[in-house]
Amino acid sequence: MATETLEKLREIFPGRYALRADEVALVLKGRDTRGVVQRVREGMKTGRYPGARKIDGHWQLPLDALGEIVDPKPVATPVVPSTSTTAAPSKTGRRRSAIGPRLTFIREAVFWSQVFRGLGFGDEARELDEQAQTMRDEGNQARALERARERRARLMGLPHLGERMIPDAPSKGGGL
C-alpha cells in the first residue's frame, strides 16, 4: 500500500483507528446511501473487506486495511518463460507498457542462460547473455532520450528563455 494513501486517510479522519460501514462506503463508493452502506456492511460480514471487526455491535474497518483496499500492494508473480513469441491481448483493454516485453525477455534470457550453463551449453548461454545485455542497453538509451525530452520541455516552459537568467540578480525594474 502506498504510504500517501494511508497518510491521506489519517488526515481526513484524524485520531481514528477504524471507520464504520457508512464511512467506509463514503471512501470506497463515494456515497453513503442506505443500499451502499448495507452492501459494505455485508461485505464486512462475509470477509470481502479483510480486517473488518465487529466492535460494540458495529462493524468497523481499520484504516490500514482500508488503505490496502484503496491502494493494494503489487503482488510479485514468479517469472515463467513463455513459449509463444507474441503476447496475448490484454483482457482488461489497458494499454501495455512499452518496456514490459523487453523486461520479460531480459528476465527469461537470464534464467535460461543459467539453465544452459548448468547443462553445459556455454555458447548458447553466452549468446543469451549478449542478447539480454543488448536489450538493457537499448532500454538505457530510451530512458536517457526520454529524460532529455523532459528536460527540454521544462526548459522551454521557463519565462524569458531568450534572455540570460542569473539567479539572485536584482530585477530590471529597479526595486528591491
Side-chain angles (χ1 to χ4, degrees):
M1 155 185 42
T3 55
E4 54 265 2
T5 303
L6 184 58
E7 292 301 318
K8 184 167 251 181
L9 285 170
R10 287 183 178 155
E11 189 178 300
I12 294 170
F13 300 100
R16 301 283 302 274
Y17 170 73
L19 301 181
R20 296 183 313 269
D22 58 335
E23 295 166 328
V24 172
L26 193 59
V27 170
L28 293 179
K29 308 293 184 185
R31 57 181 188 242
D32 59 349
T33 60
R34 181 183 294 170
V36 173
V37 173
Q38 185 60 34
R39 282 192 296 275
V40 168
R41 192 174 291 119
E42 288 296 320
M44 289 176 161
K45 289 177 187 176
T46 60
R48 184 182 318 143
Y49 302 117
R53 290 175 280 192
K54 196 167 192 177
I55 300 173
D56 294 333
H58 299 282
W59 281 97
Q60 296 184 3
L61 186 65
L63 284 177
D64 297 343
L66 181 60
E68 185 64 35
I69 292 168
V70 171
D71 191 12
K73 288 183 208 171
V75 178
T77 57
V79 177
V80 178
S82 82
T83 55
S84 68
T85 56
T86 60
S90 175
K91 292 181 181 178
T92 60
R94 294 187 203 160
R95 202 170 111 200
R96 289 180 55 97
S97 168
I99 64 169
R102 183 174 38 240
L103 290 176
T104 303
F105 172 80
I106 292 170
R107 287 182 190 129
E108 291 175 0
V110 169
F111 169 78
W112 285 110
S113 70
Q114 291 171 353
V115 170
F116 284 162
R117 252 190 218 92
L119 294 175
F121 298 109
D123 294 335
E124 288 82 359
R126 261 192 309 285
E127 185 178 334
L128 275 174
D129 286 337
E130 289 170 2
Q131 289 177 359
Q133 187 60 44
T134 302
M135 289 291 245
R136 281 189 201 106
D137 293 342
E138 288 173 2
N140 291 338
Q141 289 174 353
R143 281 193 298 277
L145 284 173
E146 184 61 31
R147 283 193 301 265
R149 284 189 195 112
E150 289 173 3
R151 237 180 283 126
R152 180 164 191 220
R154 282 196 311 264
L155 287 173
M156 294 303 287
L158 291 175
H160 312 293
L161 184 63
E163 298 177 16
R164 183 173 175 217
M165 294 181 6
I166 302 172
D168 301 330
S171 64
K172 294 179 183 178
L176 282 174

